[in-house]
């Protein structure tokens, strides 16, 4: 193959790979990394999965550990503005030069595997994971936090053997085509990241999902730390956009921390992040200081998760991209904006449960709903036709349909008063487009 010498060539190579194979396996990924010299070995790692909340939990864990004096690498998905965001150290994305150089090295191995393997070489996500491991191996941060892409058991990140800590934030209905359509099936995929002897932290899970996870943890001698049982962090500032939690668990007792991330659903994520951070620090023989936890949580930021981009009227971007995510957003609106008029602009991918998601949003008496359309991340994943979906939707206020989302934002900006709230939501891909449009 030709040498990859430019950033655009690197991105074309990465995104030009197939996304999925017919039969899930980690053998291909392990062989791929072996040919690259096993760059994943010798790194301290934390592994986090969950239907929702894993990205925010990664961010808060990163910032707590960073405030504790550690240099922290992260691997996340999807990216919001640029691909480089997916692999970062202390929040700084990989440079274009490093990405290009490592992509060239990885591409040479992938091309050989394309010829050797009957099912073909690595997928797009496997390529990204390999580039990340090579980058982290070069940079040698104190810790690397890996966010699972989909599921856990067959995710390309699941080649690691001895993480310091693993975590499952939530289990809900999403990616059912790949993970199954029951809580038990989905939980079994997420429980695939549990490793022998590595402590496991879990958020609030449905009972049937928790039972699956607990069984796997027991079989792997992984000590289980469960939100509401082994640690807790109630919100002590109800109706505040930025919650303050009172955390008790492990070495901390009734320690109050204000969150830099907005939304009630971040309370449980913060509780998991604090617990994961304490366990990771303990594994490294380092102390846990409440002042470091406090600073990390206050300074934590994660784009497109209840992100405030304008103050008056209040405009928020929230990448609620599945039914559980929308249900969490609905609860935040009920708790924090019950006394205000809320204008929602919504676009959803066609492969999501968009009718149920719209039904949740339309159930709120103070919500004005505007549905729209966006291009979608690929031709195979288009935006849903919400104009048709809302025709039989029962709402207090008439639903508006504007096919051009930029015009939709302009319309809401005209309609909303100074003390109203505008929320853009429905898909992380959609919200990332809006974010670039508003903040560039």
């Amino acid at each position: 193959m030709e040498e990859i010498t430019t950033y655009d060539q690197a991105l074309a190579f990465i995104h030009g790979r197939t996304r999925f194979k017919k039969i899930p396996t980690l053998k291909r990924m392990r062989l791929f990394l072996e040919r690259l010299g096993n760059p994943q070995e010798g790194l301290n790692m934390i592994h986090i999965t969950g239907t929702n909340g894993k990205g925010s939990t990664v961010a808060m864990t990163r910032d707590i550990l960073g405030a504790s004096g550690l240099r922290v690498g992260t691997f996340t998905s999807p990216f919001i503005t640029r691909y480089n965001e997916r692999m970062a150290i202390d929040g700084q994305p990989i440079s274009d030069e490093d990405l290009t150089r490592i992509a060239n090295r990885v591409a040479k191995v992938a091309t050989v595997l394309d010829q050797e393997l009957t099912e073909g070489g690595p997928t797009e996500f496997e390529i990204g994971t390999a580039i990340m491991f090579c980058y982290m191996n070069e940079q040698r941060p104190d810790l690397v936090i890996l966010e699972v892409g989909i599921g856990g058991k067959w995710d390309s990140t699941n080649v690691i053997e001895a993480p310091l800590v693993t975590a499952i934030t939530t289990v809900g209905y999403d990616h059912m085509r790949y993970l199954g359509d029951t809580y038990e099936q989905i939980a079994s995929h997420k429980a695939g990241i549990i490793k022998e002897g590595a402590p496991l932290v879990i958020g609030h899970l449905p009972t049937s999902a928790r039972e699956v996870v607990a069984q796997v943890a027991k079989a792997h001698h992984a000590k289980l730390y469960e939100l509401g049982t082994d640690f807790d962090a109630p919100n002590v500032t109800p109706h505040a956009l930025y919650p303050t939690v009172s955390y008790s668990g492990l070495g901390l007792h009734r320690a109050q921390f204000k969150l830099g991330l907005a939304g009630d659903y971040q309370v449980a994520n913060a509780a998991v992040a604090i617990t994961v951070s304490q366990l990771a620090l303990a594994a490294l023989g380092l102390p846990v200081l409440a002042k470091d936890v406090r600073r990390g949580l206050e300074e934590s930021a994660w784009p497109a998760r209840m992100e405030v981009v304008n103050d008056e009227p209040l405009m928020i971007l929230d990448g609620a991209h599945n039914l559980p995510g929308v249900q969490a957003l609905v609860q935040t609106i009920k708790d924090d904006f019950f006394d205000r008029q809320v204008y929602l602009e919504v676009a959803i991918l066609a492969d999501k449960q968009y009718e149920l998601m719209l039904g949740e949003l339309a159930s709120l008496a103070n919500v004005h709903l505007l549905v729209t359309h966006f291009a979608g991340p690929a031709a195979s994943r288009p935006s849903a036709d919400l104009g048709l979906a809302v025709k039989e939707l029962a709402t207090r206020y008439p639903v508006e349909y504007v096919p051009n989302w930029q015009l939709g934002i302009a319309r809401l900006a005209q309609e909303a008063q100074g003390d109203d709230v505008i929320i853009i939501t429905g898909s992380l891909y959609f919200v990332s487009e809006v974010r670039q449009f508003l903040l560039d």
Side-chain angles (χ1 to χ4, degrees):
M1 63 162 289
E2 293 184 9
E3 291 281 314
I4 292 175
T5 59
T6 69
Y7 178 71
D8 287 343
Q9 287 174 334
L11 290 187
F13 161 66
I14 294 166
H15 297 315
R17 305 294 300 189
T18 182
R19 293 190 72 233
F20 296 103
K21 302 285 189 181
K22 288 184 179 179
I23 301 174
T25 179
L26 290 177
K27 289 181 180 179
R28 181 177 54 251
M29 188 66 200
R30 289 196 176 104
L31 176 62
F32 189 21
L33 291 175
E34 184 182 311
R35 297 286 178 88
L36 289 165
N38 284 320
Q40 78 280 10
E41 293 183 352
L43 296 169
N44 293 316
M45 287 183 273
I46 295 170
H47 209 183
I48 298 178
T49 190
T51 303
N52 288 90
K54 55 186 183 289
S56 299
T57 302
V58 167
M60 287 187 274
T61 304
R62 173 199 66 198
D63 294 330
I64 292 170
L65 295 172
S68 301
L70 298 179
R71 189 163 171 259
V72 184
T74 50
F75 183 54
T76 57
S77 63
F79 62 93
I80 300 300
T81 305
R82 301 186 81 227
Y83 183 84
N84 307 45
E85 297 165 23
R86 296 197 54 219
M87 47 203 82
I89 293 178
D90 292 340
Q92 294 301 309
I94 185 174
S95 69
D96 291 358
E97 294 75 18
D98 283 338
L99 180 65
T100 302
R101 174 178 54 79
I102 298 173
N104 184 55
R105 174 188 166 198
V106 165
K108 291 176 180 177
V109 177
T111 302
V112 173
L113 292 178
D114 283 339
Q115 304 304 316
E116 287 185 13
L117 301 177
T118 55
E119 78 274 18
T123 64
E124 178 180 352
F125 202 86
E126 288 168 345
I127 293 287
T129 305
I131 292 172
M132 176 274 301
F133 277 134
C134 289
Y135 180 60
M136 297 301 169
N137 186 277
E138 290 180 359
Q139 295 293 317
R140 310 304 295 185
D142 299 307
L143 265 170
V144 179
I145 310 173
L146 303 176
E147 177 191 349
V148 166
I150 294 178
K153 183 185 298 182
W154 303 118
D155 191 77
S156 60
T157 60
N158 203 31
V159 292
I160 65 171
E161 295 181 352
L164 300 183
V165 191
T166 61
I168 302 173
T169 57
T170 56
V171 170
Y173 293 117
D174 198 14
H175 300 298
M176 281 107 80
R177 176 182 172 188
Y178 305 104
L179 306 181
D181 53 11
T182 68
Y183 284 142
E184 293 91 340
Q185 290 172 328
I186 295 168
S188 72
H189 277 276
K190 299 195 184 304
I193 71 166
I194 298 171
K195 298 295 187 295
E196 186 69 25
L200 169 70
V201 181
I202 63 173
H204 291 303
L205 306 186
T207 302
S208 57
R210 186 209 172 277
E211 289 174 357
V212 170
V213 168
Q215 287 173 3
V216 177
K218 184 177 180 180
H220 286 80
H221 308 98
K223 184 169 174 53
L224 182 64
Y225 295 86
E226 182 178 3
L227 177 57
T229 301
D230 304 289
F231 63 97
D232 212 349
N235 182 0
V236 295
T237 54
H239 312 313
L241 181 58
Y242 295 92
T244 296
V245 301
S246 177
Y247 177 93
S248 294
L250 283 74
L252 298 170
H253 183 63
R254 292 186 182 174
Q256 291 202 359
F257 305 116
K258 183 176 181 180
L259 307 188
L261 298 182
D264 290 356
Y265 61 82
Q266 297 294 6
V267 170
N269 296 333
V272 171
I274 297 167
T275 308
V276 167
S277 299
Q278 289 189 82
L279 291 167
L281 288 167
L284 296 173
L286 298 172
V288 177
L289 301 179
K291 67 179 181 62
D292 295 336
V293 178
R294 185 168 293 110
R295 181 161 69 90
L297 289 173
E298 282 183 359
E299 295 177 357
S300 194
W302 196 236
R305 277 72 168 186
M306 287 301 288
E307 181 183 13
V308 176
V309 293
N310 193 68
D311 291 325
E312 193 173 317
L314 184 65
M315 180 180 283
I316 294 171
L317 306 181
D318 189 59
H321 59 286
N322 53 30
L323 183 58
V326 164
Q327 289 169 335
L329 173 60
V330 165
Q331 191 60 51
T332 292
I333 293 172
K334 287 179 178 178
D335 291 343
D336 298 344
F337 304 128
F338 62 93
D339 56 347
R340 301 165 77 169
Q341 293 298 299
V342 178
Y343 291 80
L344 282 173
E345 180 166 5
V346 183
I348 305 172
L349 289 175
D351 59 6
K352 299 293 182 177
Q353 297 172 291
Y354 57 88
E355 290 168 325
L356 294 175
M357 292 163 71
L358 286 173
E360 292 281 344
L361 296 170
S363 69
L364 298 170
N366 61 331
V367 157
H368 305 253
L369 199 57
L370 182 150
V371 298
T372 188
H373 181 273
F374 75 113
S380 59
R381 298 192 73 200
S383 175
D385 185 351
L386 301 186
L388 287 174
V390 298
K391 285 188 175 178
E392 296 183 11
L393 205 59
T395 59
R396 179 176 179 180
Y397 302 104
V399 179
E400 296 183 74
Y401 171 65
V402 179
N404 181 295
W405 62 258
Q406 292 94 334
L407 294 179
I409 290 175
R411 171 122 17 128
L412 293 191
Q414 289 177 337
E415 293 178 4
Q417 303 299 308
D419 59 350
D420 294 337
V421 181
I422 298 172
I423 301 176
I424 315 295
T425 191
S427 163
L428 267 172
Y429 294 103
F430 170 52
V431 169
S432 69
E433 279 190 35
V434 175
R435 190 175 189 274
Q436 285 182 264
F437 174 74
L438 293 175
L439 301 181
D440 275 357

